[in-house]
Amino acid sequence: MKHLPQLAAIAAAVLFTVAVAGFGAALEGYLQSTHPVGLLGARGLPHALAFNALGFVLPGGLAAFVAWRLRAAIGDGGPWIARIGAWLALLSALAFAAQGLLPLDPGDLESDTSRAHATAWTLWWVAFVPAAAMLAAGLRQGGGSQVLVPASVIAAIVVAVLAMLPLELLAPAVTQRMVFAAWLMWWGVAAWWVGTAAVVAAGSR
C-alpha cells in the first residue's frame, strides 16, 4: 500500500507524456513546439475524447489520489499550513483533470467552451503555486523531508515564472510543456515523501 502513491505519480507522468507524444504525432500538422497541449483534445478533432481521458483526466485523477494520501500523511496534527497546502494540491489535480472535461473549441477560441478550458488551466497552476509554497513552509516547520521542501520551493517558482512569462520571451507551447513537466515531477517527489512518511509511521508503532 505504501507504494501506491509512487506508482500513481509515475503512471500520471507516463500517461501524459505518451498521450501528448502519441496523439501529437498522429494529428496531421500538429507541432509540439507551436501548438498547445489542449488542442489535441479539442472538440471535433480525431481521437479527442481518448486524448482527454489519457492526457488530462486520468493523470489528474492519479495526482488527486496522491494529494489525498499526502494530506493523510501530514495528519490532523500536522502544521495547518501544510494541511491547507495539501488541499490546494488536490484542487490543482482536479483542475488538471477538468481540462480534459472542458475541451477547447478549435473553431472559436473566445467561446464559452474555450474560456472554460482556459479557466481550468489557470486554476490548475494558480492553485498549485501556493500549495507547493505552503507545503514547503509547513513541512519545514514540522521537520519534514529534506527533499520535498526544496522541491516544492523550486516547483512553485518554476511554475509561477513560466506560467506568467511574457509571450515574446519564449513560445507559449514550450513554456506550457515545461510547466506541465515541473508539475508532474513534483508529484513524483511528493509521492516518494508519502511513502517515506508511511514507513516512518509504521516503524514508530
Side-chain angles (χ1 to χ4, degrees), residues 121 125 157-176 178-179:
W121 149 266
W125 74 263
I157 294 173
V158 169
V159 170
V161 170
L162 291 178
M164 296 185 291
L165 197 68
L167 298 180
E168 63 271 13
L169 294 183
L170 196 61
V174 175
T175 58
Q176 185 188 54
M178 293 171 66
V179 172

Side-chain angles (χ1 to χ4, degrees), residues 70-170:
L70 174 64
R71 173 62 184 85
I74 294 171
D76 293 336
W80 67 268
I81 193 169
R83 285 180 276 142
I84 294 177
W87 288 124
L88 285 174
L90 175 60
L91 177 60
S92 175
L94 294 176
F96 185 90
Q99 293 180 78
L101 300 174
L102 302 167
L104 286 169
D105 179 356
D108 186 2
L109 296 180
E110 296 298 324
S111 67
D112 290 341
T113 300
S114 295
R115 289 179 184 275
H117 179 88
T119 299
W121 149 266
T122 302
L123 179 59
W124 161 69
W125 74 263
V126 167
F128 176 73
V129 171
M134 295 176 80
L135 281 164
L139 295 177
R140 179 182 59 81
Q141 293 175 1
S145 168
Q146 297 302 308
V147 177
L148 182 56
V149 170
S152 296
V153 172
I154 293 171
I157 294 173
V158 169
V159 170
V161 170
L162 291 178
M164 296 185 291
L165 197 68
L167 298 180
E168 63 271 13
L169 294 183
L170 196 61

Side-chain angles (χ1 to χ4, degrees), residues 43-68:
R43 290 185 174 183
L45 268 64
H47 315 298
L49 181 61
F51 172 78
N52 285 325
L54 297 174
F56 283 128
V57 177
L58 283 177
L62 290 167
F65 168 73
V66 177
W68 174 66

